[in-house]
């Protein structure tokens, strides 16, 4: 018999059966299939029907579950194949939900006295994958059990594992369960019952048990709170951090961050910094050393800025210097780059001088994954440092990343507008040619898509004149892109542009300027505004059906983004004309926008034109158009009706 997930050496599954041997008789009902194939010599047959248990539970009345399915489950739990036992234990939480739903008190009793003990039994299975799945299932089932029953039915099982002096693996599983179940049983029971278990397992003679409890302190400290963690769990952690076995200490290094988040600031400063230094200075295990360094950035982020000592920050900057570490590891550089923004945010811009050299070294690192991490977070660094420091320290980096590999470049393009927002306004204009270069590159549609997602923000970063003369052409270009995803995202940014134009018009009217000596610039702006509005509205009547689709998509956003009167008078009539468009793909979008957007807006609730348009599209000869003319609730009803009809047809065919 095999101890691994798969077929045993004696299983029929390895005898290369013919196609006919593998087939399942589809003429049988699902219950008959299970009853026939659960005793098959072929593992695939048994696995197939085991994975059908939850479907049976969902479809059959409780009487069938109780008198037919439950006895089969009790039989399968002893199957010789691990893959079958794992499949069973993964199905039981789903079956449990149906026992609760349809079985009432009787179903609940079956859960407590039959299903729950089966999962508990498999949590100590000889196969590790089965045990792992059983622990997860036990956690899921515990959420469904009444709190008062947990102490009667769950705790005794955990206690038996903790006190099992003969089976080391049982005590390891106990440590895993303490972690998984603590959030479910709650603060009071975790303090009262689980903490003594933790204390006992932390002194276990088996290092595997001590390692398991060290690695599983996270959920427990989060459940019991700061005071109890500081007073009761921290001493256990400190003891385990000095364990003679390196794997136990490594477990402590891996939970250092979550423990730090749940102890008092005084203990964090006075004791946990010492523990970290012990791991990286005194410990002779490279694995402990590496685990501690990998968690250093998140560890620093648990402090208040003033609590981070220069020495602790120096440990972080030395992560990228092989000559400073006794156990240099290239992966630490990646960790340093990834955690850099969190560390800087914690200590603040006033301590940039302690980190700037490290940042420069990371930016020039030869590993592109390191630079990619930095490119994605550059805008966050800029927000922390402010415009002046960003200009001197980060603009060169931004320019460098714009010339880097595409894998690196994508980070700064994705956050292009966010970074520009951190610059002085006069400096932003210098990057418009760069923006144009991405938009006009026919080979990089994904970059164009990323720019399209930022159009709304880009419109707000420049002067009106710059927006109208340089950003608006970019928007119009992206609206006509040959890639549909680019066009779709571009449509979401049009409203901001139109609203800027409208606000400018209103401001001019409010000023009531009677001066006849209007300057040429203002006249030019007025002309450009008119041209932009005309161009956008012309999409509705364009010869290209994709542009007419684009107009319909624009409408989806415009209705909420621009002034209601402007929308109703200038944009809505053109949209409603598209109801009669000869291309079904245009009517598809129109139907979707009408049913999911316009019809949900209060001012259109009794609008005769809107209602007439929806009615007309519901009668459309194209079935997809007529379907999308329904709102989401109506669509769901249609789906259910179709599903019921299909099931009826299938049942009739089987009969």
């Amino acid at each position: 018999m095999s101890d691994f997930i798969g077929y045993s050496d004696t299983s029929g599954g390895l005898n290369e059966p013919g196609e006919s041997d593998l087939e399942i008789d589809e003429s049988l009902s699902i219950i008959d299939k299970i009853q026939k194939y659960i005793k098959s010599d072929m593992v695939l047959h048994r696995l197939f029907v085991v994975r059908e248990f939850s479907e049976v539970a969902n479809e059959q009345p409780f009487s069938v579950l109780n008198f037919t399915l439950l006895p089969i489950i009790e039989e399968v739990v002893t199957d010789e194949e691990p893959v079958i036992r794992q499949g069973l234990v993964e199905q039981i939480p789903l079956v449990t939900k149906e026992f609760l739903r349809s079985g009432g008190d009787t179903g609940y009793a079956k859960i407590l006295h039959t299903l729950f003990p089966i999962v508990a039994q498999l949590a100590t299975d000889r196969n590790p994958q089965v045990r792992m799945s059983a622990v997860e299932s036990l956690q899921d089932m515990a959420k469904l059990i009444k709190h008062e029953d947990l102490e009667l039915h769950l705790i005794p099982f955990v206690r038996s594992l903790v006190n099992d002096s003969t089976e080391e693996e049982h005590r390891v599983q106990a440590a895993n369960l303490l972690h998984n179940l603590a959030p479910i049983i709650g603060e009071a029971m975790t303090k009262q019952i689980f903490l003594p278990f933790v204390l006992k397992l932390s002194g276990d003679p088996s290092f595997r048990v001590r390692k398991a409890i060290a690695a599983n302190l996270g959920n427990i400290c989060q459940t019991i709170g700061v005071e109890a963690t500081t007073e009761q769990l921290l001493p256990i952690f400190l003891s385990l951090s000095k364990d003679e076995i390196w794997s136990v200490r490594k477990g402590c290094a891996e939970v250092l961050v979550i423990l730090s988040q749940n102890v008092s600031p005084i203990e964090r400063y006075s004791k946990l910094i010492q523990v970290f230094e012990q791991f990286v200075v005194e410990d002779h295990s490279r694995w402990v050393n590496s685990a501690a360094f990998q968690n250093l950035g998140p560890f620093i982020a648990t402090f208040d800025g003033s609590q981070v000592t220069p020495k602790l920050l120096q440990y972080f900057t030395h992560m990228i210097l092989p000559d400073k570490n006794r156990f240099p590891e290239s992966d630490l550089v990646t960790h340093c780059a990834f955690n850099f923004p969190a560390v800087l945010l914690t200590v603040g811009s006033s301590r940039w001088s302690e980190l700037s050299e490290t940042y420069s070294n990371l930016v020039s690192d030869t590993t592109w994954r390191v630079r990619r991490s930095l490119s994605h977070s550059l805008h966050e660094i800029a927000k922390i440092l402010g415009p002046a420091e960003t200009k001197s320290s980060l603009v060169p980096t931004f320019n460098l990343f714009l010339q880097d590999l595409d894998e690196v470049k994508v980070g700064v393009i994705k956050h292009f507008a966010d970074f520009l927002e951190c610059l002085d306004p006069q400096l932003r204009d210098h990057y418009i040619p760069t923006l144009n270069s991405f938009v006009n590159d026919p080979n990089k549609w994904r970059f164009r898509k990323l720019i399209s997602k930022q159009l709304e923000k880009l419109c707000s970063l420049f002067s009106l004149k710059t927006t109208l003369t340089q950003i608006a052409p970019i928007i119009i270009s992206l609206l006509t892109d040959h890639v549909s995803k680019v066009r779709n995202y571009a449509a979401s940014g049009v409203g901001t542009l139109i609203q800027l134009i409208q606000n400018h018009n209103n401001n001019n009217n409010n000023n009531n300027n009677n001066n006849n000596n209007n300057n040429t610039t203002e006249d030019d702006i007025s002309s450009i505004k008119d041209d932009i509005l005309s161009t956008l509205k012309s999409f509705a009547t364009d010869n290209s059906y994709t542009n007419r689709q684009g107009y319909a998509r624009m409408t989806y956003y415009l209705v909420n983004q621009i002034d209601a009167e402007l929308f109703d008078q200038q944009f809505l009539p053109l949209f409603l004309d598209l109801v009669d468009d000869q291309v079904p793909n245009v009517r598809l979008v129109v139907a979707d926008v009408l049913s999911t957007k316009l019809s949900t807006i209060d001012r259109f609730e009794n609008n005769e034109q809107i209602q007439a348009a929806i009615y007309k599209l519901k009668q459309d000869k194209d079935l997809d158009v007529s379907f999308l003319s329904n709102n989401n609730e109506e669509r769901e009803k249609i789906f259910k009706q179709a599903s019921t009809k299909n099931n009826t047809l299938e049942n009739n065919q089987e009969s």
Side-chain angles (χ1 to χ4, degrees), residues 53 224 259 284 331 338 362 364 375 385 435 522 524 536 545 564 576 621 625:
F53 283 0
I224 63 177
L259 198 83
H284 296 292
D331 195 42
F338 181 81
L362 289 170
S364 58
S375 74
L385 295 183
L435 202 57
E522 187 59 43
D524 288 344
L536 293 173
Y545 85 89
L576 292 176
K621 60 185 179 181
V625 174

Side-chain angles (χ1 to χ4, degrees), residues 21 46 71 238 270 304 332 386 474 493 519 546 552 587 614 631:
D21 296 326
R46 303 203 304 276
L238 294 175
S270 63
D304 295 327
L332 292 183
I474 289 175
N519 58 52
T546 59
R587 302 198 304 276
I614 293 175
N631 61 37

